[in-house]
Amino acid sequence: MSTPEQYVQDKAAASGSSFYYAFLFLPPERRAAITAFYAFCREVDDVVDEVTDPGVAATKLAWWRTEVAQAFAGEPRHPAMKALMPHAAAFGIEAVQLQQVIEGCEMDLQQTRYLDFPGLARYCHLVAGVVGEVAARIFGQTDPATTAYAHKLGLALQLTNIIRDVGEDARRGRIYLPVNELQQFDVKAHEVLGRVHSERFVALMRFQAQRAHAAYDEALALLPAADRRSQKPGLMMASIYRTLLREIESEDFKVLDQRIGLTPLRKLWLAWKVQALGRL
C-alpha cells in the first residue's frame, strides 16, 4: 500500500510532463505541495481524456467536486487530496481554485468547439490560468502583481499545448482552434478532423504560434523583479514549452499525425539552465 505522498509522486513522474523537471529544483515542502496539486490536476484531466462515456465522466467530475469540498472540510478520501491538504493553508490554496480547474474539465465534456478566441481564453483561464495562480503561490510568490504574470504564462503554456495536440484532439473529435479563425484561413473542420495538412493549415498554425509567443513575452514582462527568483520553476516551464513551440514551427506544424516533443534530457538541460544561470 503506497502512501498518498508516494501516490502523487508516481502520478507526476508517470506523466512524463515537463512540469516534473521544473519541480526537481524546489525545496522539499514546496516540491511536495506542487506535486500533490499537479497530481490532482492530472486526475481530473484524465477523467475527460480517458472516460469515453460523457455521462460517466460527468459523474466522476461531480464526485471530484464533492471530494474537494469534503477535503477542505477536513475529510479527504482520495490520495491526491490527502497529499495536498497538509499544504493548503501554508500556500494559500483555496477550494474555489480547485473547483475552477474541475469547471474547466467540465467544459471539455460540454463543448468540442470554440467560436472565437475570447471563448477559448475563458477555457484556458480555468484549466491553465488558475493552475498558474496556485503554482505561483506554492513557488513562493511575495508580490500580488505576480498573479497576473502567472495567468498570462498559463495562457501561453496552454496555447502551446493546443498547437502540439491538434492531431490528438482531432482523434477525440475536438478542435481547440477558434471557429472564426478556421474560417479566416479557409481551413475546414473536417480537414482538421481528417488530419489533412495543407498550406492553409500551416498559415493558421503560424497565426496561433504568434499569439502564443506574444503571451510568453507579455508574461515575462509582467513578472515583478522581486519574484524572479522564487518563480524560477515557472520560468523553466516557459523555457521548455517555448523551445517546444519553436521545434513545432521548425517542423512546419506537422502536428496532425504526430506528437512533436522534446527528449527528457533536453527538458532537464533547459530547466537546469534557468536554475543555474537564470537564462531562458
Side-chain angles (χ1 to χ4, degrees):
M1 241 334 244
S2 73
T3 63
E5 289 67 30
Q6 189 59 51
Y7 177 90
V8 295
Q9 177 62 35
D10 292 348
K11 186 88 181 168
S15 76
S17 165
S18 308
F19 287 84
Y20 183 68
Y21 299 92
F23 303 163
L24 290 174
F25 300 95
L26 283 166
E29 196 191 351
R30 294 189 195 282
R31 189 166 70 225
I34 194 69
T35 301
F37 175 60
Y38 178 71
F40 160 78
C41 293
R42 286 248 48 101
E43 290 287 349
V44 293
D45 199 40
D46 286 350
V47 170
V48 177
D49 287 344
E50 293 172 8
V51 179
T52 46
D53 181 327
V56 173
T59 303
K60 287 196 168 196
L61 289 180
W63 183 90
W64 272 105
R65 279 196 175 281
T66 308
E67 170 65 6
V68 167
Q70 276 193 247
F72 276 85
E75 293 180 7
R77 292 168 295 174
H78 194 281
M81 294 308 293
K82 284 182 178 174
L84 180 61
M85 290 321 294
H87 306 286
F91 297 118
I93 302 167
E94 299 163 25
V96 65
Q97 294 168 316
L98 273 56
Q99 298 289 12
Q100 284 178 313
V101 174
I102 295 170
E103 189 185 334
C105 292
E106 285 170 340
M107 282 179 79
D108 274 331
L109 298 182
Q110 291 151 7
Q111 63 186 104
T112 54
R113 302 282 189 283
Y114 292 86
L115 292 178
D116 53 23
F117 183 66
L120 181 65
R122 163 83 185 138
Y123 168 75
C124 293
H125 165 75
L126 294 169
V127 298
V130 175
V131 172
E133 184 183 307
V134 174
R137 290 183 188 181
I138 294 172
F139 297 154
Q141 172 178 356
T142 62
D143 188 326
T146 296
T147 301
Y149 144 82
H151 274 275
K152 189 62 75 170
L153 180 59
L155 175 66
L157 299 176
Q158 189 63 26
L159 293 177
T160 305
N161 268 342
I162 286 169
I163 291 166
R164 179 194 64 195
D165 295 341
V166 171
E168 222 167 273
D169 291 328
R171 274 190 281 278
R172 296 193 175 110
R174 292 200 198 123
I175 301 175
Y176 290 99
L177 309 168
V179 171
N180 65 346
E181 293 172 11
L182 287 172
Q183 291 167 343
Q184 187 184 330
F185 289 91
D186 194 28
V187 175
K188 305 285 184 284
H190 71 79
E191 293 175 320
V192 178
L193 295 174
R195 301 200 288 288
V196 177
H197 192 83
S198 66
E199 303 250 323
R200 289 168 291 116
F201 176 77
V202 172
L204 168 67
M205 297 311 287
R206 279 221 176 87
F207 181 75
Q208 305 300 319
Q210 283 162 357
R211 175 187 280 139
H213 279 301
Y216 284 111
D217 290 338
E218 286 167 37
L220 297 174
L222 284 166
L223 177 59
D227 276 350
R228 264 196 86 82
R229 183 178 288 271
S230 73
Q231 298 304 314
K232 271 186 177 178
L235 296 175
M236 290 174 192
M237 294 302 309
S239 178
I240 291 169
Y241 267 69
R242 207 166 189 179
T243 302
L244 169 64
L245 181 59
R246 291 187 181 119
E247 192 84 4
I248 292 168
E249 288 172 309
S250 73
E251 296 201 24
D252 222 22
F253 298 96
K254 296 208 167 61
V255 289
L256 287 166
D257 44 20
Q258 62 176 324
R259 185 185 171 106
I260 298 171
L262 305 177
T263 63
L265 189 62
R266 194 157 170 208
K267 290 178 187 176
L268 186 60
W269 166 242
L270 290 165
W272 181 84
K273 265 203 318 195
V274 172
Q275 176 65 21
L277 314 172
R279 283 221 304 267
L280 286 183

PDB file of all heavy atoms in Angstrom, residues 220-234:
ATOM      1  N   LEU A 220       6.433  37.373 -19.304  1.00  0.00           N
ATOM      2  CA  LEU A 220       7.760  37.702 -18.763  1.00  0.00           C
ATOM      3  C   LEU A 220       7.857  39.176 -18.391  1.00  0.00           C
ATOM      4  O   LEU A 220       8.493  39.537 -17.396  1.00  0.00           O
ATOM      5  CB  LEU A 220       8.850  37.323 -19.772  1.00  0.00           C
ATOM      6  CG  LEU A 220       8.931  35.815 -20.088  1.00  0.00           C
ATOM      7  CD1 LEU A 220       9.918  35.541 -21.202  1.00  0.00           C
ATOM      8  CD2 LEU A 220       9.278  35.001 -18.850  1.00  0.00           C
ATOM      9  N   ALA A 221       7.180  40.020 -19.171  1.00  0.00           N
ATOM     10  CA  ALA A 221       7.188  41.460 -18.877  1.00  0.00           C
ATOM     11  C   ALA A 221       6.393  41.772 -17.604  1.00  0.00           C
ATOM     12  O   ALA A 221       6.651  42.765 -16.931  1.00  0.00           O
ATOM     13  CB  ALA A 221       6.609  42.236 -20.066  1.00  0.00           C
ATOM     14  N   LEU A 222       5.435  40.915 -17.270  1.00  0.00           N
ATOM     15  CA  LEU A 222       4.582  41.142 -16.097  1.00  0.00           C
ATOM     16  C   LEU A 222       5.210  40.652 -14.787  1.00  0.00           C
ATOM     17  O   LEU A 222       4.737  40.995 -13.708  1.00  0.00           O
ATOM     18  CB  LEU A 222       3.230  40.427 -16.282  1.00  0.00           C
ATOM     19  CG  LEU A 222       2.216  41.075 -17.230  1.00  0.00           C
ATOM     20  CD1 LEU A 222       1.098  40.079 -17.550  1.00  0.00           C
ATOM     21  CD2 LEU A 222       1.630  42.344 -16.630  1.00  0.00           C
ATOM     22  N   LEU A 223       6.254  39.822 -14.875  1.00  0.00           N
ATOM     23  CA  LEU A 223       6.821  39.234 -13.655  1.00  0.00           C
ATOM     24  C   LEU A 223       7.614  40.279 -12.868  1.00  0.00           C
ATOM     25  O   LEU A 223       8.611  40.800 -13.356  1.00  0.00           O
ATOM     26  CB  LEU A 223       7.731  38.052 -14.021  1.00  0.00           C
ATOM     27  CG  LEU A 223       8.464  37.369 -12.864  1.00  0.00           C
ATOM     28  CD1 LEU A 223       7.481  36.821 -11.833  1.00  0.00           C
ATOM     29  CD2 LEU A 223       9.361  36.254 -13.374  1.00  0.00           C
ATOM     30  N   PRO A 224       7.183  40.602 -11.643  1.00  0.00           N
ATOM     31  CA  PRO A 224       7.916  41.603 -10.847  1.00  0.00           C
ATOM     32  C   PRO A 224       9.318  41.099 -10.503  1.00  0.00           C
ATOM     33  O   PRO A 224       9.506  39.901 -10.244  1.00  0.00           O
ATOM     34  CB  PRO A 224       7.070  41.741  -9.571  1.00  0.00           C
ATOM     35  CG  PRO A 224       5.751  41.120  -9.888  1.00  0.00           C
ATOM     36  CD  PRO A 224       6.014  40.074 -10.925  1.00  0.00           C
ATOM     37  N   ALA A 225      10.284  42.011 -10.491  1.00  0.00           N
ATOM     38  CA  ALA A 225      11.681  41.652 -10.203  1.00  0.00           C
ATOM     39  C   ALA A 225      11.805  40.940  -8.857  1.00  0.00           C
ATOM     40  O   ALA A 225      12.605  40.009  -8.705  1.00  0.00           O
ATOM     41  CB  ALA A 225      12.551  42.911 -10.220  1.00  0.00           C
ATOM     42  N   ALA A 226      10.979  41.340  -7.893  1.00  0.00           N
ATOM     43  CA  ALA A 226      11.056  40.760  -6.543  1.00  0.00           C
ATOM     44  C   ALA A 226      10.791  39.252  -6.539  1.00  0.00           C
ATOM     45  O   ALA A 226      11.277  38.538  -5.659  1.00  0.00           O
ATOM     46  CB  ALA A 226      10.059  41.454  -5.621  1.00  0.00           C
ATOM     47  N   ASP A 227      10.038  38.773  -7.515  1.00  0.00           N
ATOM     48  CA  ASP A 227       9.669  37.352  -7.541  1.00  0.00           C
ATOM     49  C   ASP A 227      10.392  36.548  -8.627  1.00  0.00           C
ATOM     50  O   ASP A 227      10.066  35.379  -8.841  1.00  0.00           O
ATOM     51  CB  ASP A 227       8.152  37.197  -7.698  1.00  0.00           C
ATOM     52  CG  ASP A 227       7.431  37.295  -6.356  1.00  0.00           C
ATOM     53  OD1 ASP A 227       8.116  37.289  -5.318  1.00  0.00           O
ATOM     54  OD2 ASP A 227       6.191  37.378  -6.349  1.00  0.00           O
ATOM     55  N   ARG A 228      11.351  37.146  -9.290  1.00  0.00           N
ATOM     56  CA  ARG A 228      12.039  36.417 -10.375  1.00  0.00           C
ATOM     57  C   ARG A 228      12.685  35.138  -9.860  1.00  0.00           C
ATOM     58  O   ARG A 228      12.617  34.085 -10.492  1.00  0.00           O
ATOM     59  CB  ARG A 228      13.089  37.290 -11.046  1.00  0.00           C
ATOM     60  CG  ARG A 228      12.603  37.968 -12.309  1.00  0.00           C
ATOM     61  CD  ARG A 228      13.749  38.505 -13.147  1.00  0.00           C
ATOM     62  NE  ARG A 228      14.290  37.498 -14.051  1.00  0.00           N
ATOM     63  CZ  ARG A 228      13.772  37.185 -15.239  1.00  0.00           C
ATOM     64  NH1 ARG A 228      12.695  37.803 -15.668  1.00  0.00           N
ATOM     65  NH2 ARG A 228      14.325  36.275 -15.999  1.00  0.00           N
ATOM     66  N   ARG A 229      13.307  35.228  -8.683  1.00  0.00           N
ATOM     67  CA  ARG A 229      13.995  34.052  -8.138  1.00  0.00           C
ATOM     68  C   ARG A 229      12.990  32.979  -7.701  1.00  0.00           C
ATOM     69  O   ARG A 229      13.136  31.809  -8.037  1.00  0.00           O
ATOM     70  CB  ARG A 229      14.876  34.478  -6.965  1.00  0.00           C
ATOM     71  CG  ARG A 229      15.691  33.348  -6.355  1.00  0.00           C
ATOM     72  CD  ARG A 229      16.576  33.878  -5.240  1.00  0.00           C
ATOM     73  NE  ARG A 229      17.664  34.668  -5.793  1.00  0.00           N
ATOM     74  CZ  ARG A 229      18.847  34.150  -6.159  1.00  0.00           C
ATOM     75  NH1 ARG A 229      19.065  32.856  -6.043  1.00  0.00           N
ATOM     76  NH2 ARG A 229      19.786  34.930  -6.643  1.00  0.00           N
ATOM     77  N   SER A 230      11.958  33.387  -6.964  1.00  0.00           N
ATOM     78  CA  SER A 230      11.001  32.392  -6.453  1.00  0.00           C
ATOM     79  C   SER A 230      10.231  31.712  -7.594  1.00  0.00           C
ATOM     80  O   SER A 230       9.837  30.562  -7.473  1.00  0.00           O
ATOM     81  CB  SER A 230      10.018  33.033  -5.476  1.00  0.00           C
ATOM     82  OG  SER A 230       9.079  33.849  -6.152  1.00  0.00           O
ATOM     83  N   GLN A 231      10.019  32.428  -8.687  1.00  0.00           N
ATOM     84  CA  GLN A 231       9.197  31.891  -9.783  1.00  0.00           C
ATOM     85  C   GLN A 231      10.024  31.140 -10.835  1.00  0.00           C
ATOM     86  O   GLN A 231       9.537  30.881 -11.938  1.00  0.00           O
ATOM     87  CB  GLN A 231       8.385  33.008 -10.438  1.00  0.00           C
ATOM     88  CG  GLN A 231       7.387  33.679  -9.491  1.00  0.00           C
ATOM     89  CD  GLN A 231       6.415  32.703  -8.846  1.00  0.00           C
ATOM     90  OE1 GLN A 231       5.853  31.846  -9.505  1.00  0.00           O
ATOM     91  NE2 GLN A 231       6.192  32.842  -7.538  1.00  0.00           N
ATOM     92  N   LYS A 232      11.238  30.752 -10.465  1.00  0.00           N
ATOM     93  CA  LYS A 232      12.083  30.018 -11.422  1.00  0.00           C
ATOM     94  C   LYS A 232      11.425  28.768 -12.013  1.00  0.00           C
ATOM     95  O   LYS A 232      11.595  28.477 -13.191  1.00  0.00           O
ATOM     96  CB  LYS A 232      13.427  29.648 -10.781  1.00  0.00           C
ATOM     97  CG  LYS A 232      14.479  30.733 -10.973  1.00  0.00           C
ATOM     98  CD  LYS A 232      15.828  30.264 -10.467  1.00  0.00           C
ATOM     99  CE  LYS A 232      16.897  31.316 -10.728  1.00  0.00           C
ATOM    100  NZ  LYS A 232      18.210  30.882 -10.198  1.00  0.00           N
ATOM    101  N   PRO A 233      10.646  27.990 -11.224  1.00  0.00           N
ATOM    102  CA  PRO A 233      10.010  26.815 -11.849  1.00  0.00           C
ATOM    103  C   PRO A 233       9.085  27.195 -13.016  1.00  0.00           C
ATOM    104  O   PRO A 233       9.050  26.499 -14.029  1.00  0.00           O
ATOM    105  CB  PRO A 233       9.227  26.178 -10.695  1.00  0.00           C
ATOM    106  CG  PRO A 233       9.945  26.632  -9.465  1.00  0.00           C
ATOM    107  CD  PRO A 233      10.412  28.021  -9.765  1.00  0.00           C
ATOM    108  N   GLY A 234       8.366  28.302 -12.878  1.00  0.00           N
ATOM    109  CA  GLY A 234       7.514  28.775 -13.973  1.00  0.00           C
ATOM    110  C   GLY A 234       8.344  29.205 -15.170  1.00  0.00           C
ATOM    111  O   GLY A 234       7.972  28.957 -16.331  1.00  0.00           O
TER     112      GLY A 234
END
